[in-house]
Amino acid sequence: MGTATIPKLIINSPYEEPAQHWNYDPKTRTFSLVEGRRPAGYVTATPGAGSFDDPGIFTPLPLVNQIRPRVAAWREKGYAGASGVTKALLEHWRDPEQRDSSRRLFFCQLEAIEILIWLTESPAADRQGIEIPSDGGPFTRLCAKMATGAGKTIAMAMLIAWQVLNKTTYPQDRRFSKHIFVLAPGLTVKNRLQVLELNAKPGNFYDEFTLVPTGMLDRLRQGKILIRNWHTLMPDDPDAGPRVVKKGPESDEAFTRRVLGDIANAQNILVINDEAHHAWRAAPKSTIKGVRKEDIEQATRWIEGLDRIHKTRGIQTCFDFSATPFAPTGKASGEETLFGWIVSDFGLNDAIESGLVKTPQVVVRDDGQLTKEQKSRLYHIYMVPDVKDDLNRNAEEQVPLHDLVNNAYVLLGKDWLETAAKWKDAGRDVPPVMITVANRTETAARVKYAFTHKRIQIDELAEPGGILHIDSKVLEKAEAREEAPEGDDPSLENGNNSNDEESPRKKLSKKDQAELLRLQVDTVGQEGKPGEKIQNVISVGMLSEGWDARTVTHIMGLRAFTSQLLCEQVVGRGLRRTSYEIQADGEFKGLFKPEYVNIFGVPFRFLPHEGGVETVPTPPEPPIPVFADPNRKEYEISWPNIIRIDHEYRTRLDLTLSDVPVLELDALDTATLAEMAPVVEGRPDVTQLTEINLRELAQKRGRWQTIIFRTAQEVYDQMEPTWTGNKEILLAQVVGLVEQFIGSDRIVITPPLFNQDDVRRRIMLMLNMTKVVQHIWQSIRPGNTRALVPQFDREHPIRSTGDMRPWGTRKPCEITKLSHINLCVFDSTWEASEAFELDRNQAVAAWAKNDHLGFEILYTYQGTVRKYRPDFLIRLRNGAMLVLEVKGQDSQENQTKREFLDEWVEAVNGHGGFGRWACDVSRHPMDIPGILEKHDRVM
């Protein structure tokens, strides 16, 4: 049963594959909620159609739709064919315990990187029939299409980690590269891409989002990354410099050395194009109808430069990332076609339905005159004939705007006023932002003049310092620089906007004025930055690439939108969310709560919009800042930053089987039989099934002694590095212990048949070797360790509460008294009770909740290394440090966590350089006074 309007657009979790989507039926004029994922593709308007009821023309992306199920099957099979490093990364990325809830990876990020990996590492048979079209050049290009706000920079970081870690582990494998060349469309984007640097500077995405297991960080930093503007690919000017020396044209080798700098000697370079829709092939000096000469020049130089690098050094693969990877066809003005080498797609509709971006609301009706298509004229204001004529004349800035345009601004401005009032009442210090995208420079000047001279009756949008009129040419020059001007940052005088010619300002050079404009555009809505108070942005064109202001609530389009690409680019500038907090209950339980942006004049006919809701974008609750208070330095808590603990073992090993916990293996988790069918004309012929059965293999190669020795060898490999005695004696002892364990009742396989059938049991042990090894090793370690030797992070051997990066929360919280951190954020009423007691108990000298602190204990469970974050760090008045865990119900995994915490405490105390440490568990809100008193008495 369809519905005339969509009650809510956010219907999918951002962390799971979309399970449903909205579908519009033009015959019934209703929307239906359809189970399953939307096919990859895009919709364009039917030529000559102009009504909302136009079903449009759906153009599928057959390559993407062909790849998706194959990658899903590959994932289910455990990433067959992938290297050990790649499997470790994929498992790490999909494990939610490896990062805070606010740092979980979106499904679209995981899918994009999985597809790129699958195309490189999966068995050739899995990729049969997959052919990636070329862009016509000499090197391979693969494109990941990800909607604005979907987090493509994190996907790039994952790509870099995958490539570099594999190359440093398998240096002879030419499928991988540790030399990465990243190209950006401008200085703003280039600066933001610094989070991809492979150093350990704060803010890098590998640490920020825990993208790499701790033990792999040293190998990651063996890679080399170069991030540059595409402008560096412009050929060197032979006439530059002293006229006495005639340099002549720049050779390919000289070009390569100049562009690549520190990685100029590398071969087999991996290239990442950010905002790759700028990089398409066009013949030099060509003209394409409807495309600016500057855009053709950029595309030509970008690709031409990469061709020269490939000629001299070799490009392994070029990975393109873009929300709108279209290239002009040259057939008609404004007509584009998607890149043929797109291999993954998470489009804007998918992003909206998953809540990754704001929910757009477009004007569909008003009480004024309608267009001949029976639509509101505000839907595409520019196309009203007399408005179009007015906006295209060479008018002075003081010439009044068309009445309909003024009318539109007043309507949208009134909505902006209501939004601004709500934001102010909610305690937000930055204002909501309205952006205008105009057709030409003269129109933008007229709009600004209309606001500043009170011709539009929304005076608040004309406040001094609140209007940002963007000179596109000046901004383009600033973006074209490789680095910002040296010296002091350009700043505002008396808080006024330097673009407002009627306000006093410092005397700045043209270069500094351009940089100030770039900084203002780049920092709209950011407290304490040049763009903090901007609330009215007026621009020609699409604004700068990478513009990620999160405070845009209203958009006015005053230009022709001849394609869905233009619509998506403009609307995309206002779609970035302010909050990424999953709702714990209510209508949007498990989903993101919607945020809104209201749009006039942008005819995005195939962009879904929500109906039946209030038109004023409701401001999100302002996050409460959480930070280490510099005035509470006496409550700072520090701890050793341990990356692993080495064991020195006794020369005589012992294992009491009755003390070893039972290892449970489920046969359902292990495939032991498969049926195969030949493919005839692309279809499986199920009349000719053949069977793969592991029973015969187990009988031949899975003898008990083979299983025992292989298991013992792996346990030996874990212990050997820190064994001080004779290695042969160690191996002999381990073999004996493993034989006892495997032959005992401490391994239970379900269903019982697998315990009773000798062959089936051997198959299960063969296919679950990692779990068996880890289980035995953990059982041997506690009773046979002579000494624990902590190994510290070389770059940050000691961490403290003072290292915590400031963050914001909307959860319940309370001001603290004895903590370096200003607030304690509560995940439960139990934690609130604990925090209250810690702040008042006489045994406590200082404490901190382990929230965003980075205090972690590595532990192994079910054969997987994971991270454990205990709840509280407490310094007692006797100087001892207490690690406190709050735990109601217990489990085998929680017990394992505590065993590793006990080991950590023992290792730290054994080191002797960090005072005395202890750990404990609170199992009831009222037991904490007794726990504190117990540990405070110990001297």
Side-chain angles (χ1 to χ4, degrees), residues 542 707 859:
M542 301 298 108
I707 293 173
Y859 72 101

Side-chain angles (χ1 to χ4, degrees), residues 802-817:
D803 297 329
M804 187 192 78
R805 297 189 185 100
W807 56 288
T809 184
R810 295 179 176 88
K811 293 181 179 180
C813 55
E814 190 56 71
I815 295 173
T816 60
K817 293 192 298 184

Side-chain angles (χ1 to χ4, degrees), residues 12-19 94 104-108 346 354:
N12 294 311
S13 166
Y15 305 118
E16 305 292 340
E17 182 173 10
R94 283 197 169 273
R104 283 185 65 185
L105 300 175
F106 297 142
F107 166 80
C108 58
F346 199 83
S354 297

Side-chain angles (χ1 to χ4, degrees), residues 43 159 162 326 372 409 420 433 466 642 646 663 674 682 750 780 906:
V43 180
L159 168 66
W162 162 57
F326 289 79
K372 62 181 181 180
Y409 270 118
V433 174
I642 297 173
D646 289 338
L663 173 62
T750 54
I780 292 174
E906 183 182 347

Side-chain angles (χ1 to χ4, degrees), residues 496-561:
N496 288 312
N497 182 343
S498 70
N499 281 282
D500 186 347
E501 297 177 358
E502 296 158 9
S503 65
R505 65 170 184 244
K506 294 179 181 179
K507 184 69 175 178
L508 299 175
S509 67
K510 288 185 177 181
K511 184 178 287 188
D512 280 344
Q513 287 184 42
E515 176 59 8
L516 176 55
L517 174 61
R518 191 189 69 81
L519 285 174
Q520 287 178 304
V521 172
D522 189 26
T523 59
V524 167
Q526 298 181 26
E527 292 183 29
K529 300 294 180 64
E532 176 183 11
K533 297 302 181 183
I534 300 299
Q535 55 193 26
N536 190 351
V537 177
I538 304 166
S539 171
V540 178
M542 301 298 108
L543 306 173
S544 64
E545 288 286 354
W547 196 59
D548 68 347
R550 302 180 183 276
T551 52
V552 176
T553 56
H554 296 78
I555 299 175
M556 177 72 77
L558 296 178
R559 59 161 295 164
F561 291 92

